[in-house]
């Protein structure tokens, strides 16, 4: 197969293609299990394989994908034809940033491949969790386990050949209850990534049991709580919501394809302009954010992106100053040309596709916030006069240029004069991105830092789902509107 | 091709019977094309041809499924899938209820929403369409984005209970066009849905875009004060709101799980505006309908709301099995939602602007990134996008920065509804996550709702 792919890549190059790559998925496997109120509502597995071909011709992209590989030549020809038509409407001819030709492989670290674990063992884990969640006050209980394994072979016309095998486990447990007014409230536990691996061994029964008890207790506290007041307060975001705040208003805002207008027909743009790099005070000096694809245990680490660029750890925001973006080979060339100066030295290795039948686009790796020096959560609370601690991603809605946002959380704890006073329900907060991050007044230390995962980030047309991570500490922001 | 597909399914059925496996088979084939534009260029031209097979095995109250991307003729691979599903079901935990296995009492085939001329539209035809819409509207600063997505979608079914088959084939196109200002960052949009080639009309898109661009090019944008406004929603916004109502409203299973703002004792009560009539109408070919559901149940127009009165929840077979309800023919990949028009003659932006008005009116064509703040109250939030206008009391028209609405669906479709356009518009609500599943909702062209609160107002684009 590899030889055939190489031959067709060479054939298209000889026919005038500027660049050709092929991603062959010998196998992608998924296993989804969902138990709802003790009923195994989903027990499914799937397997797919195929090839996606990307062709650059006269500055324009063509792409074609198929699962039937009986006529590879026709697949490559179709991608080339698509590129030829695209070349009829070019305004800024695509150029690709330089890279080295790489022959390499990458395997995500795991001790126990979840696809070798018997279904009975997986169900036993879920049944044990379901039993833990089946407590007074709980109206709905959901246990989910998703396992994925992708084998990807990447080959391009510049001499790269990279093979990746990536295994992931995405678990969650959730409870919901009804308050006296019949309104539903829920709490969820999606374990932060612990240890250095990503396999079946990461499902720690003790951790799940302790957190099952916690989310049931907290949900029951919410059921009898008062509504979150409408107010302006300091908000203390725990990692269970800070990861999503980071995802939506730093991660997506700094995807270079969005900044350059390539997502305007769907996902949206960004308030960030090319002139902002090196000048925009994105946040307070306490804010340092990075795109780190090198931490071992997160789905945002994948060895090499789908341009064949090695994983990197790059600063995005340095002590509040915007310095970097999430980039692939095409976008950095265009950005530098449009800005008429070198903003980006090269691709940051963040071009990824969800499957063989989708084209790579700029995707987040692990968009992390560095821990700070404001101590533990208790320390931050102790130093807060009027605030609210928030956790859980109940709802999120962001402006099309990522300029403003509205989040609802599963739970809130009011803070008065350095003390946690009471739980509130229906907690929300909203703000504008740049003023919000400039109000960042406390960043928790390493003890508060957790790597949370995102298993379903949507972007692109045709639509793509991507998996990634966010390492975030507890953060406090001042003068934030809550309860609306 | 149809017979080859059905023969493959019959062969798989025979294999499962020979192995003693109770199973159902769902075949899905898509031929998808998407031309994407950005910065006035074609940023991507792509196609995918994919065949998926989903095999569900049953054993008493146990159920498990296995899916694969495959190709016709890969018999061994498909049969291996049957073996895997059969193995999985042995270990699946029994459900607390008996799942119903489909029994097709007759074969059914529906290709009435398939137009080969649309399904086989060429690259050049897609490009010509876009060029015609955008001609004269682009400048160095105002650039074109958008998609022209089209293709064909085939579903076929069989199971071991009977030899009959179900077969559905549709063609579809979804066009969205955005014109945006590279420096000022405003953006306006127009959309079109097509089930057949004759539905394609670039001149309608061009008219709507030209009207919005004219205002956005010349008017000074303003930040709106927070407060209550009379709001006119455009078709995309209405369709998106109805989509969310489908999630947290009339779905019986979700209601039973507490994830709905509607309750069982509200059936046959007036919940919404008397002007609000909503039907799941599979007779409308524009919605790429299913006239049978996946269980083989014939689908007829199903009333959801009639003049504001809630008529009942929809039940898929599995949810009906679990909660002891009667299935309503809603085991389908998508419904065919139609919101009835009202009596207002205005149906275009020009006609809306020309209407006499006593107050300022905010026109919101599109709601971006809507999400559910509180399902029990029907509370949603989202931001305006793609060409909002402030129609002032003095008959002038201003361009506002985007605003956020955080409102209950009970208010938006309730007694605050002032008027609905008589004319209806088809809104393509397809997404392309996973398997192709073309969807469309038919809505009034415009809907005015009075007294909605703006909870946030942008100070820039």
């Amino acid at each position: 197969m590899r030889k055939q792919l190489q031959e067709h890549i060479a054939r298209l190059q000889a026919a005038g293609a500027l660049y050709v790559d092929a991603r062959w998925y010998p196998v992608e496997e998924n296993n989804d299990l969902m138990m709802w109120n003790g009923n195994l509502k989903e027990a499914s597995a799937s397997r797919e394989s195929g090839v996606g071909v990307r062709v650059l011709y006269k500055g324009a992209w063509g792409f074609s994908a198929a699962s039937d590989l009986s006529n590879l030549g026709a697949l490559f020809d179709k991608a080339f034809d698509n590129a030829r038509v695209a070349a009829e409407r070019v305004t800024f001819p695509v150029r690709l940033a330089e890279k080295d030709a790489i022959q390499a492989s990458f395997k995500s670290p795991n001790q126990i491949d979840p696809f070798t674990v018997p279904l009975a063992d997986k169900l036993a884990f879920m049944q044990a969790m379901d039993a833990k969640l089946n407590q007074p006050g709980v109206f709905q209980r959901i246990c989910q386990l998703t396992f994925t394994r992708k084998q990807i072979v990447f080959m391009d016309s510049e001499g790269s050949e990279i093979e990746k095998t990536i295994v992931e486990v995405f678990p969650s447990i959730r409870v919901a209850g009804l308050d006296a007014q019949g309104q539903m409230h829920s709490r969820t536990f999606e374990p932060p990534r612990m240890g250095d691996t990503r396999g079946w061994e990461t499902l720690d029964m003790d951790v799940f049991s302790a957190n099952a008890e916690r989310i049931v207790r907290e949900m029951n506290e919410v059921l009898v709580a008062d509504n979150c007041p409408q107010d302006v307060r300091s908000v203390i975001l725990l990692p269970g919501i800070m990861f999503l705040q980071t995802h939506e208003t730093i991660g997506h805002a700094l995807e270079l394809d969005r900044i350059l207008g390539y997502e305007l027909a769907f996902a949206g743009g960004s308030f960030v302009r090319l002139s902002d790099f090196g000048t925009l005070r994105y946040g307070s000096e306490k804010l340092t954010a990075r795109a780190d694809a090198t931490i071992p245990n997160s789905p945002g680490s994948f060895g090499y992106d789908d341009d064949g660029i090695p994983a990197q750890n790059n600063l995005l925001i340095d002590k509040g100053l915007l310095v970097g973006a999430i980039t692939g080979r095409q976008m950095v060339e265009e950005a530098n040309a449009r800005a008429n100066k070198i903003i980006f030295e090269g691709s940051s290795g963040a071009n990824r596709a969800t499957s063989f039948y989708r084209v790579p686009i700029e995707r987040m790796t692990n968009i992390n916030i560095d821990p700070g020096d404001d101590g533990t959560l208790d320390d931050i609370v102790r130093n807060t006069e009027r605030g609210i601690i928030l956790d859980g991603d109940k709802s999120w809605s962001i402006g099309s240029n990522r300029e403003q946002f509205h989040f609802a959380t599963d739970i809130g704890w009011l803070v008065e004069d350095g003390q946690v006073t009471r739980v509130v329900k229906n907690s929300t907060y909203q703000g504008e991105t740049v003023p919000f991050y400039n109000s960042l007044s406390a960043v928790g230390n390493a003890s508060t830092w957790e790597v949370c995962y995102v298993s379903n980030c949507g972007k692109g047309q045709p639509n793509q789902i991507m998996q990634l991570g966010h390492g975030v500490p507890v953060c406090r922001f001042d003068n934030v509107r809550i309860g609306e | 091709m149809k017979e080859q597909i059905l023969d493959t399914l019959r062969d798989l059925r025979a294999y499962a019977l020979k192995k003693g496996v109770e199973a159902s088979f769902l075949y899905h084939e898509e031929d998808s094309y998407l031309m994407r534009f950005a910065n006035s260029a074609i940023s991507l031209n792509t196609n995918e041809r994919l065949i998926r097979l989903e095999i569900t095995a049953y054993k008493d109250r146990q159920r498990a499924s296995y899916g694969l991307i495959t190709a016709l003729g890969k018999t061994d691979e498909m049969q291996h899938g049957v073996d895997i599903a059969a193995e999985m079901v042995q270990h699946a935990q029994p459900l607390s209820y008996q799942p119903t296995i489909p029994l097709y009492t007759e074969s059914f085939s529906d290709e009435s929403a398939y137009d080969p001329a649309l399904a086989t539209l060429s690259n050049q035809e897609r490009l010509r369409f876009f060029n015609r819409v955008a001609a004269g509207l682009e400048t160095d600063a105002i650039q074109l984005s958008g998609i022209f997505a089209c293709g064909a979608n085939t579903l076929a079914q069989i199971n071991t209970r009977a030899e009959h088959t179900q077969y559905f084939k549709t063609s579809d196109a979804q066009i969205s066009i955005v014109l945006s200002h590279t420096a000022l960052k405003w953006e306006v949009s127009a959309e079109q849905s097509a089930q057949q080639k004759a539905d394609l009309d670039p001149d309608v898109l061009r008219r709507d875009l030209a009207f919005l661009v004219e205002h956005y090019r010349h008017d000074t944008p303003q930040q709106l004060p927070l407060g209550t406004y009379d709001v006119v929603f455009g078709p995309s916004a209405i369709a998106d709101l109805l989509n969310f109502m489908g999630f947290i409203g009339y779905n019986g299973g979700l209601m039973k799980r507490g994830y709905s703002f509607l309750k069982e004792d509200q059936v046959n009560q007036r919940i919404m505006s008397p002007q609000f009539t909503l039907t799941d109408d599979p007779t409308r070919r524009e919605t790429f309908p299913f006239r049978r559901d996946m269980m083989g149940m014939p689908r007829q127009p199903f009333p959801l709301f009639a003049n504001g009165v809630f008529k009942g929840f929809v039940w898929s077979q599995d949810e009906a099995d679990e909660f002891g309800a009667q299935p309503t023919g809603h085991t389908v990949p998508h419904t065919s939602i139609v919101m009835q028009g009202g009596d207002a003659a205005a149906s275009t932006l020009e006609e809306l602007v020309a209407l006499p008005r006593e107050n300022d009116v905010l026109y919101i064509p599109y709601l971006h990134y809507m999400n559910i703040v509180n399902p029990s109250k029907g509370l949603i939030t989202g931001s305006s996008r793609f060409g909002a206008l402030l129609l002032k009391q003095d008959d002038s028209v201003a361009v506002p920065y985007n605003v956020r609405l955080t409102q209950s669906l009970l208010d938006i479709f309730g007694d605050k509804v002032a008027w609905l356009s008589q004319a209806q518009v088809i809104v393509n609500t397809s997404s392309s996550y996973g398997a192709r599943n073309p969807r469309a909702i038919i809505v009034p062209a415009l809907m005015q709702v009075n007294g909605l609160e703006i909870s946030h107002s942008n100070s820039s684009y």
Side-chain angles (χ1 to χ4, degrees):
Chain A
M1 183 61 154
R2 292 175 194 236
K3 186 166 180 289
Q4 290 180 65
L5 293 173
Q6 277 172 338
E7 287 171 356
H8 286 297
I9 288 171
R11 178 171 64 81
L12 264 54
Q13 210 173 8
L18 295 170
Y19 169 87
V20 185
D21 67 30
R23 278 176 298 112
W24 170 40
Y25 280 53
V27 63
E28 174 177 346
E29 288 183 284
N30 290 282
N31 182 194
D32 295 300
L33 303 169
M34 181 179 66
M35 192 171 283
W36 197 321
N37 287 350
N39 267 318
L40 186 62
K41 297 293 281 187
E42 182 164 13
S44 68
S46 66
R47 179 185 178 92
E48 49 189 58
S49 65
V51 171
V53 176
R54 191 169 61 148
V55 177
L56 184 59
Y57 176 73
K58 290 188 176 177
W61 286 118
F63 180 79
S64 188
S67 53
D68 183 356
L69 306 182
S70 59
N71 192 348
L72 267 182
L75 175 63
F76 276 79
D77 290 344
K78 183 65 184 168
F80 201 1
D81 286 345
N82 286 341
R84 283 195 182 98
V85 174
E88 293 182 28
R89 211 183 210 276
V90 171
T91 50
F92 189 96
V94 173
R95 296 198 308 258
L96 300 177
E98 294 292 320
K99 69 159 186 171
D100 295 329
I102 292 174
Q103 287 77 42
S105 63
F106 172 81
K107 283 191 177 179
S108 61
N110 66 83
Q111 293 170 12
I112 303 171
D113 181 342
F115 289 87
T116 65
V117 176
L119 180 59
D121 290 0
K122 295 172 180 171
L123 295 180
F125 184 90
M126 297 180 82
Q127 286 168 327
M129 284 304 98
D130 183 66
K132 290 276 183 192
L133 299 177
N134 194 4
Q135 303 295 330
V138 175
F139 176 56
Q140 301 292 318
R141 51 188 201 277
I142 305 170
C143 304
Q144 281 186 286
L145 292 176
T146 297
F147 308 98
T148 67
R149 179 169 60 190
K150 294 182 183 184
Q151 185 188 359
I152 307 167
V153 176
F154 169 86
M155 306 174 80
D156 70 13
S157 55
E158 298 175 350
S160 288
E161 183 172 338
I162 297 166
E163 181 167 346
K164 296 185 283 190
T165 303
I166 297 173
V167 172
E168 294 289 348
V169 177
F170 299 111
S172 74
I173 54 176
R174 176 185 179 90
V175 288
L178 298 176
D179 67 13
Q181 292 77 42
Q183 292 184 31
M184 194 182 72
H185 302 275
S186 63
R187 285 293 279 142
T188 300
F189 173 63
E190 293 181 342
R193 294 300 177 104
M194 291 168 286
D196 288 335
T197 63
R198 311 184 201 174
W200 171 259
E201 69 280 357
T202 60
L203 296 180
D204 185 321
M205 183 65 86
D206 291 340
V207 170
F208 270 85
S209 295
N211 281 283
E213 289 176 16
R214 177 181 63 81
I215 63 174
V216 169
R217 183 181 68 249
E218 290 178 353
M219 184 210 69
N220 277 312
E221 290 171 359
V222 169
L223 294 184
V224 296
D226 293 331
N227 274 319
C228 176
Q230 289 192 10
D231 204 349
V232 175
R233 285 180 174 238
S234 296
V235 297
I236 300 169
L237 302 186
L238 301 189
I241 184 66
M242 186 62 207
F243 84 98
L244 194 57
Q245 180 73 49
T246 305
H247 178 90
E248 302 291 3
T249 56
I250 293 178
H252 279 307
L254 296 183
E255 291 163 341
L256 193 52
D257 57 345
R258 289 183 69 121
I259 293 169
L260 294 178
Y262 280 87
E263 281 288 329
L264 287 185
F266 176 58
S270 173
F271 67 89
V272 172
R273 298 165 188 267
L274 292 177
S275 57
D276 290 334
F277 289 95
T279 62
L280 176 66
R281 177 63 50 190
Y282 206 104
S284 76
E285 290 206 347
K286 290 182 178 288
L287 179 65
T288 291
R290 62 184 67 245
D292 184 356
T294 66
I295 56 178
N297 60 2
S298 173
S301 300
F302 37 82
Y304 302 85
D305 77 353
D306 290 331
D307 279 341
I309 303 288
Q312 299 169 31
N313 178 1
N314 295 313
L315 278 174
L316 298 172
I317 300 167
D318 186 12
K319 296 185 176 65
L321 187 68
L322 178 64
V323 295
I326 295 160
T327 67
R329 295 181 74 192
Q330 173 187 349
M331 296 301 159
V332 294
E333 285 291 302
E334 182 167 338
N336 289 341
R338 281 206 217 174
N340 210 20
K341 64 177 182 180
I342 302 297
I343 303 174
F344 305 103
E345 293 292 342
S347 167
S348 69
N351 222 26
R352 284 196 289 164
T354 188
S355 178
F356 72 87
Y357 51 83
R358 293 287 186 264
V359 71
I361 54 177
E362 268 78 359
R363 303 306 304 242
M364 290 176 228
T365 56
N366 302 297
I367 307 305
N368 301 342
I369 306 291
D370 283 0
D373 55 9
D374 293 301
T376 64
L377 172 61
D378 287 345
D379 294 331
I380 292 173
V381 169
R382 200 161 34 245
N383 294 314
T384 301
E385 190 177 333
R386 290 183 74 250
I388 184 169
I389 305 168
L390 298 171
D391 194 28
D393 55 341
K394 183 179 182 182
S395 167
W396 54 99
S397 176
I398 304 92
S400 58
N401 284 322
R402 302 284 150 167
E403 75 287 357
Q404 49 91 3
F405 55 84
H406 180 285
F407 286 87
T409 65
D410 290 337
I411 189 168
W413 295 267
L414 293 182
V415 176
E416 309 286 351
D417 298 323
Q419 299 286 327
V420 175
T421 55
R422 61 193 168 98
V423 170
V424 291
K425 65 183 179 184
N426 293 323
S427 309
T428 64
Y429 69 101
Q430 60 184 314
E432 295 188 356
T433 301
V434 171
F436 180 76
Y437 282 107
N438 276 279
S439 78
L440 177 63
S441 60
V443 178
N445 64 21
S447 73
T448 72
W449 196 82
E450 293 181 356
V451 178
C452 304
Y453 71 81
V454 174
S455 62
N456 59 351
C457 175
K459 186 184 171 187
Q461 291 172 303
N463 303 140
Q464 303 196 40
I465 291 288
M466 190 51 75
Q467 297 77 41
L468 51 108
H470 297 289
V472 292
V474 171
C475 291
R476 184 185 65 199
F477 302 86
D478 294 335
N479 301 314
V480 180
R481 282 172 63 191
I482 65 168
E484 296 177 9
Chain B
M1 182 61 85
K2 176 183 173 183
E3 279 312 307
Q4 192 184 353
I5 293 167
L6 296 180
D7 284 346
T8 298
L9 290 179
R10 291 184 190 109
D11 290 346
L12 285 168
R13 174 177 182 269
Y15 179 80
L17 286 171
K18 187 175 136 192
K19 290 274 188 166
V21 180
E22 179 98 77
S24 62
F25 300 89
L26 173 62
Y27 173 95
H28 179 274
E29 178 180 319
E30 66 175 284
D31 210 357
S32 297
Y33 299 86
L34 187 140
M35 187 175 281
R36 194 177 200 202
F37 296 77
N39 297 315
S40 287
I42 299 175
S43 59
L44 176 65
N45 192 21
T46 178
N47 76 288
E48 302 98 43
R49 180 173 166 73
L50 300 170
I51 292 171
R52 294 175 169 88
L53 179 69
E54 184 175 317
I55 304 152
T56 303
Y58 305 87
K59 183 187 170 198
D60 300 326
R61 293 190 169 194
Q62 293 158 273
R63 182 178 62 196
S65 63
Y66 183 73
L68 64 159
I69 284 189
T70 184
L72 278 175
K74 287 193 172 180
T75 308
D76 291 347
E77 184 176 84
M78 295 183 195
Q79 289 180 348
H80 184 55
V82 176
D83 297 338
I84 293 173
E87 172 63 19
M88 285 175 66
V89 79
Q90 300 296 327
H91 304 288
Q93 175 189 304
L95 296 161
S96 63
Y97 57 92
Q98 182 65 50
T100 301
I101 302 170
L103 176 61
Y104 306 135
T105 55
E106 59 181 347
S107 286
F108 177 78
S109 177
D110 185 0
E111 298 179 65
S112 60
Y114 177 68
D115 174 20
L118 182 66
T120 59
L121 214 61
S122 72
N123 271 324
Q124 290 296 344
E125 287 174 294
R126 285 187 280 274
L127 179 55
R128 273 201 298 275
F129 184 98
F130 250 75
N131 285 338
R132 180 161 169 182
V133 174
L137 296 177
E138 296 170 274
T139 68
D140 287 344
I142 299 173
Q143 301 214 329
L144 174 76
S145 296
I147 59 161
F148 194 128
C150 63
N153 203 52
T154 303
L155 269 72
Q157 294 177 281
I158 200 168
N159 66 48
T160 47
R161 288 277 165 105
E163 60 187 11
H164 300 298
T165 56
Q166 297 207 116
Y167 182 87
F168 310 87
K169 188 167 189 177
T170 56
S171 56
D172 65 283
Q174 177 185 29
I175 300 116
S176 69
I177 300 187
V178 177
L179 288 165
S180 58
H181 195 287
T182 54
L184 301 177
K185 296 208 172 201
W186 56 254
E187 46 187 7
V188 299
S189 171
E191 300 178 344
Q192 198 163 89
S193 181
Q195 178 277 311
Q196 56 189 359
K197 191 174 180 181
D199 296 337
L200 296 172
D201 188 347
D203 295 334
V204 170
L205 289 172
R206 184 181 165 71
R207 178 200 68 196
D208 292 346
L209 283 168
F211 184 88
L212 285 168
V213 166
E214 184 62 19
H215 281 286
Y216 271 72
R217 283 181 76 167
H218 297 114
D219 296 354
T220 303
Q222 57 180 265
Q223 181 178 18
L224 295 184
L226 298 182
T228 57
Y229 287 80
D230 295 346
V231 176
V232 172
F233 292 106
S236 294
I238 299 169
D240 208 12
L241 290 162
L242 292 174
N243 256 336
F244 276 78
M245 188 183 291
F247 301 149
I248 58 171
Y250 48 79
N251 181 301
L254 290 176
M255 175 273 295
K256 281 287 190 183
R257 298 181 200 284
Y259 206 70
S260 170
F261 62 87
L262 294 170
K263 308 288 179 258
E264 282 177 292
D265 60 7
Q266 290 179 310
V267 174
N268 290 323
Q269 290 188 15
R270 191 172 80 78
I271 307 295
M272 302 297 193
S273 160
Q275 300 183 69
F276 184 65
T277 293
L278 195 70
T279 307
D280 175 18
D281 186 353
T283 67
R284 298 295 296 267
R285 64 150 183 86
E286 308 98 308
T287 63
F288 322 107
F290 287 92
R291 293 185 167 93
R292 296 277 175 109
D293 80 351
M294 299 293 100
M295 306 301 292
M297 182 180 285
R299 278 169 44 79
Q300 304 295 332
F302 184 93
L304 296 163
F305 289 89
N307 303 116
V309 175
F310 178 46
K311 302 305 288 182
F313 292 95
V314 302
W315 291 95
S316 69
Q317 184 69 58
D318 188 57
E319 288 164 336
D321 288 341
E322 181 173 355
F323 293 105
Q326 281 298 312
T328 53
H330 285 88
T331 311
V332 281
H334 62 261
T335 50
S336 294
I337 298 301
V338 178
M339 180 175 164
Q340 187 174 298
D343 53 14
S347 64
T348 66
L349 265 178
E350 292 93 327
E351 290 164 350
L352 172 65
V353 169
L355 284 180
R357 44 189 174 263
E358 296 175 354
N359 305 309
D360 290 355
V361 172
L362 177 61
Y363 168 69
I364 296 180
Y366 184 96
L367 286 164
H368 178 77
Y369 214 130
M370 207 185 303
N371 211 332
I372 302 159
V373 179
N374 186 336
S376 306
K377 295 170 76 173
L379 191 66
I380 55 89
T381 188
S383 299
S384 65
R385 191 183 176 192
F386 288 146
L389 295 172
L390 183 65
L391 314 178
K392 293 191 165 179
Q393 187 181 358
D394 64 5
D395 288 345
S396 65
V397 177
V399 170
Y401 291 126
N402 285 324
V403 298
R404 174 174 292 282
L405 284 173
T406 304
Q407 288 283 334
S408 171
L409 294 171
L410 290 163
D411 285 332
I412 293 172
F413 292 102
D415 287 335
K416 293 181 176 182
V417 172
W419 55 262
L420 308 171
S421 296
Q422 196 171 32
Q424 292 170 305
V425 173
I426 304 151
V427 181
N428 195 306
T429 55
S430 304
S431 65
S432 46
Y433 297 111
R436 189 174 194 83
N437 177 24
R439 299 159 39 112
I441 294 180
I442 299 175
V443 299
L446 301 166
M447 173 175 77
Q448 178 162 329
V449 185
N450 291 339
L452 294 182
E453 190 171 341
I454 301 301
S455 61
H456 179 87
S457 179
N458 280 9
S459 57
S460 71
Y461 292 114

